[in-house]
Amino acid sequence: MRLTEFSELMQTEFGSLTADSMLRDHVLIDFGGRTGAEALEAGIDPKLVWVALCREFDVPRERW
């Protein structure tokens, strides 16, 4: 998944303000206590970050 697709999915699912806040502030257990933004900066595949956020925020599986 490309970062542009990831950004589009985040904004569509959560709205731009919430998506930005989630990436900066929410700590993801799957990535050793990193936020989504930190995980992306560390080179973690955006698809993995997307799935982790979907799981933690109860997004229906068909939208993962």
Side-chain angles (χ1 to χ4, degrees), residues 29-47:
I29 297 167
D30 291 355
F31 302 115
R34 292 181 177 146
T35 65
E38 291 169 335
L40 293 170
E41 289 172 13
I44 294 173
D45 185 340
K47 174 74 173 179

Side-chain angles (χ1 to χ4, degrees), residues 1-58:
M1 172 184 293
R2 302 184 111 172
L3 281 174
T4 54
E5 183 182 2
F6 173 82
S7 295
E8 289 172 9
L9 287 170
M10 288 291 291
Q11 290 181 17
T12 299
E13 187 65 40
F14 303 109
S16 60
L17 291 177
T18 301
D20 289 343
S21 177
M22 287 170 64
L23 281 176
R24 283 191 323 269
D25 302 327
H26 183 75
V27 174
L28 294 164
I29 297 167
D30 291 355
F31 302 115
R34 292 181 177 146
T35 65
E38 291 169 335
L40 293 170
E41 289 172 13
I44 294 173
D45 185 340
K47 174 74 173 179
L48 297 175
V49 176
W50 171 250
V51 170
L53 286 164
C54 288
R55 189 177 312 121
E56 291 192 25
F57 285 92
D58 297 322

